[in-house]
Amino acid sequence: MAQAQPKPSPLNELCSALPSLPMRLQEVGRFVAANDYDATTRSMRELASVAGADPASFTRLAKALGYSGWDELRAALTEARRPAQGSPFSGRAKGRRAGPNADVRLVHDKIEAEAAGLTRISASAIADAARALHAANRIWITGFRSCRSVAELLTYQLRLFRPDAVQLVGGSGPFDLDHGAFRSGDAVVVIGFAPYTLVSVETARAAHQARATLIAIADTISAPMAEGADHLLLFEAASSPGFFPSLTGAIAVAQSLAAVAFTLGGAGAKRKLEETEGRLAEMSQYFVEKG
């Protein structure tokens, strides 16, 4: 029995179909092919604005490729970017490049890709989410495995001026006890990228059940822990070369959230920060060189 041929990637389908498409759809198709990450993370209207096209042309492009509409094509593009479940990191690994400056070139390419990804982070979305943090009675922050470091960073920065209102999920005991403590009026921040941890999805669902405000810091709008989020803050994880996805964007989002939340706190936040600094000084937490 002949083996079924693997389905071609949506990008390959798109590129193969370009010559047969009407001129305007060719332009939109080339834009999608050159910006496939944005195509998976930004709304159709945002894409159309950047491409200088009619939003409906993205739907027409999808239908011309055999999809029911733009949402189905975007879902296919998202799935194509996702690493194989069994090898999310080794599947990204590539052989060592040839040439005397291959290692330096890899570093250059990685920094360049991550810098470009930072420019695509939505400042307005972060500001909106920071206002939700400022208004929240309590703030719960969660990130697991590699995203734990981002969660701990955000927790630390927020606790400098809101020490009584911020908690790391699972930081002082089983995470399910924290899930049970979520309440309406709280904000829950969930951080993750593919492959997504089961606990991050369960945390997001617990936030929904408690009617807490859910803020998702994720690599794509289709992230399962971002489903139904009140605020979705996207960062670019997969486009950077290297065996491991990039956390640079997630860290930038977290630090920006803390910065805006602090300014929204006004004089009260500044006073709390000064109290924290004074306590740290009294405890001699920082090295002071004796002259």
Side-chain angles (χ1 to χ4, degrees):
M1 182 182 294
Q3 291 184 336
Q5 293 297 313
K7 181 177 174 57
S9 76
L11 275 181
N12 287 343
E13 289 181 324
L14 172 58
C15 293
S16 297
L18 279 177
S20 62
L21 295 176
M23 186 61 65
R24 189 58 184 138
L25 289 189
Q26 286 187 31
E27 294 174 3
V28 174
R30 291 192 183 95
F31 174 83
V32 171
N35 301 274
D36 63 308
Y37 174 79
D38 285 351
T40 64
T41 59
R42 304 180 72 172
S43 72
M44 187 166 63
R45 289 191 177 279
E46 287 179 313
L47 291 171
S49 176
V50 174
D54 179 358
S57 61
F58 286 83
T59 299
R60 290 195 295 270
L61 172 66
K63 290 184 174 180
L65 297 176
Y67 295 88
S68 61
W70 173 249
D71 286 344
E72 187 180 2
L73 174 55
R74 182 169 63 179
L77 289 168
T78 300
E79 187 61 31
R81 289 181 61 88
R82 204 183 304 279
Q85 188 66 24
S87 56
F89 310 131
S90 62
R92 290 170 49 88
K94 295 179 173 58
R96 191 169 184 269
R97 303 179 187 186
N101 296 316
D103 300 335
V104 174
R105 184 63 192 172
L106 174 59
V107 174
H108 177 271
D109 290 349
K110 185 166 178 58
I111 292 173
E112 188 175 69
E114 296 193 3
L118 291 178
T119 67
R120 291 189 277 269
I121 292 174
S122 172
S124 60
I126 293 174
D128 288 343
R131 284 189 280 271
L133 289 182
H134 174 65
N137 297 326
R138 296 180 301 172
I139 301 170
W140 302 85
I141 303 172
T142 183
F144 298 95
R145 301 186 70 83
S146 59
C147 290
R148 189 70 168 183
S149 60
V150 184
E152 289 176 346
L153 174 65
L154 180 56
T155 300
Y156 174 73
Q157 292 193 11
L158 290 176
R159 290 198 67 186
L160 289 172
F161 59 93
R162 288 195 67 177
D164 301 324
V166 184
Q167 179 144 343
L168 185 69
V169 174
S172 59
F175 63 84
D176 55 291
L177 294 181
D178 289 335
H179 289 176
F182 294 170
R183 296 289 183 268
S184 176
D186 292 354
V188 179
V189 181
V190 182
I191 306 163
F193 64 82
Y196 309 98
T197 61
L198 178 60
V199 182
S200 66
V201 178
E202 291 175 346
T203 301
R205 291 173 179 170
H208 284 304
Q209 291 172 358
R211 299 185 183 280
T213 298
L214 176 61
I215 299 173
I217 302 177
D219 59 336
T220 172
I221 57 174
S222 64
M225 28 70 70
E227 184 177 349
D230 298 281
H231 299 273
L232 175 56
L233 309 178
L234 294 169
F235 69 94
E236 199 160 320
S239 65
S240 174
F243 78 96
F244 201 85
S246 172
L247 282 169
T248 300
I251 292 171
V253 169
Q255 296 202 122
S256 298
L257 273 176
V260 177
F262 175 74
T263 61
L264 292 171
K270 184 178 180 182
R271 184 172 58 254
K272 282 290 187 182
L273 178 60
E274 290 170 343
E275 290 173 0
T276 301
E277 289 175 324
R279 186 173 63 257
L280 292 172
E282 289 177 4
M283 296 173 65
S284 299
Q285 288 296 303
Y286 299 116
F287 173 76
V288 177
E289 187 170 356
K290 297 178 181 179

